[in-house]
Amino acid sequence: MLFLSPITLASTDESIARAASILKNEGIVAFPTETVYGLGARFDSEKAIEKIFVAKGRPKDNPFIVHICHPNELSIIATGVPAIAERLMLSFWPGPLTIVLPKTPIVPKIATAGLDTVGVRMPAHALALALIRAVGVPLAAPSANLSGRPSPTSAMHVKEDLDGRIDAILDGGQTEVGLESTVVTVAQDRITILRPGAVTREMLEEIGRVRVVSPSYDPSLVPAAPGMKYIHYAPRAEVSVFVGQAISMLPDKVHRLQQRDAVIAVVAYEDTLMQINNGMVKMSLGERDRVDLAAKRLYAYLREADHLSVNHILIEGIEARGLGEALMNRLLKAATHVIGGSV
Ligand code: TXA
Ligand code: MG
């Protein structure tokens, strides 16, 4: 397969038109959304979708989310939409919520990893919506990272992972949310969260009864969201996440590692960082009451740690409430060790 070098396009009408033309012709283009950057292909092109699997090194059993620019595109890709799904769309679209629905025959099996369902979302990002509109068909798009790496929250991150493997990057600056969308399935009045995100459990409880699939992965089970079984979001360094009471052990652990000449990065709230000696990389999650800022920064920190050749990242776990539930889910997925009991 011939790969063209990506061209970084500025966020203008002309660049949207160029990106759309590449996509129409079955190329693959990275684009910003409010959550993370996606790597898009026309949803109806097996050839383009195949290119994404190759570019990312993505396992074939992990289905893609299909992105639409208007609710009236839903009927192209999904059928048998229950009333509760319609209520979710009214409340949370455009936005970081992916709803898994029965797929129409036109959606190729390769896009859904052989499943009869498709994850659909309408992103809340002007560039993403304009791009989908210009292509004229929905876009199948996983996050625009190499498989197993943290999702990209800037065009630079995409370039870092996929330079030479994709046709173009549409640069929309840093993404707003910083964590991937909430993925849900629905049945009658029940909502099951397969992947927590910025549309939180508390927000979904306004619409129906909510259940969250446990973040821990049991390899003997077939996971509800196939993507959740893979080690994800992981930098190259060893990652220790400290939770609950164990957070008080963090400064001591840093001290011991320092004596072994490890290159250490500490990712923690401002007040915790103040208790830690200098001489290591400190990455601030900010103030304790701004989980949104912590979420926005996390993936960039994990990538930066790699650039700095850090070999131990120590992370302060956070309270798994509201957006904190999604952030903690990603921390646990990045973790080599979890220190401490319940969160
Ligand atoms: O915010 C996001 O969701 C970003 C942006 C680009 O939209 N996309 C994203 O895509 O994170 P990806 O492919 O990295 O993650 C999609 C997740 C995976 O865990 C996948 O298994 C799950 O959604 N998923 C997709 N389709 C599904 C389906 N039909 N049934 C169950 N899970 C599905
Ligand atoms: Mg991903």
Side-chain angles (χ1 to χ4, degrees), residues 35 38 58 62-63 65 67 100 117 121 142-143 180-181 195 224-227:
T35 55
R58 181 169 172 111
N62 196 0
I65 294 171
H67 298 70
V100 174
T117 55
R121 132 172 153 84
S143 51
E180 307 81 354
S181 63
R195 179 175 73 182

Side-chain angles (χ1 to χ4, degrees), residues 35 74 103 187 216 308 314-315:
T35 55
L74 184 66
K103 81 173 192 71
S216 64
L308 298 170
L314 308 179
I315 309 185

Side-chain angles (χ1 to χ4, degrees), residues 190-207:
R190 296 265 304 268
I191 302 165
T192 302
I193 301 179
L194 306 183
R195 179 175 73 182
V199 172
T200 63
R201 175 206 296 256
E202 293 82 353
M203 290 157 78
L204 293 168
E205 275 167 355
E206 301 283 316
I207 309 291

Side-chain angles (χ1 to χ4, degrees), residues 56 58 142-143 145 151 180 195 232-233:
K56 283 182 58 89
R58 181 169 172 111
S143 51
N145 49 283
S151 289
E180 307 81 354
R195 179 175 73 182
H232 243 83
Y233 322 113

Side-chain angles (χ1 to χ4, degrees), residues 86-139:
E86 283 175 3
R87 289 205 295 281
L88 289 173
M89 291 168 202
L90 272 175
S91 299
F92 302 112
W93 279 5
L97 178 70
T98 298
I99 309 173
V100 174
L101 295 165
K103 81 173 192 71
T104 56
I106 193 179
V107 179
K109 285 265 180 181
I110 185 175
T112 63
L115 298 174
D116 294 327
T117 55
V118 60
V120 191
R121 132 172 153 84
M122 178 179 168
H125 194 290
L127 264 180
L129 296 174
L131 179 66
I132 302 165
R133 200 169 304 119
V135 177
V137 295
L139 293 178

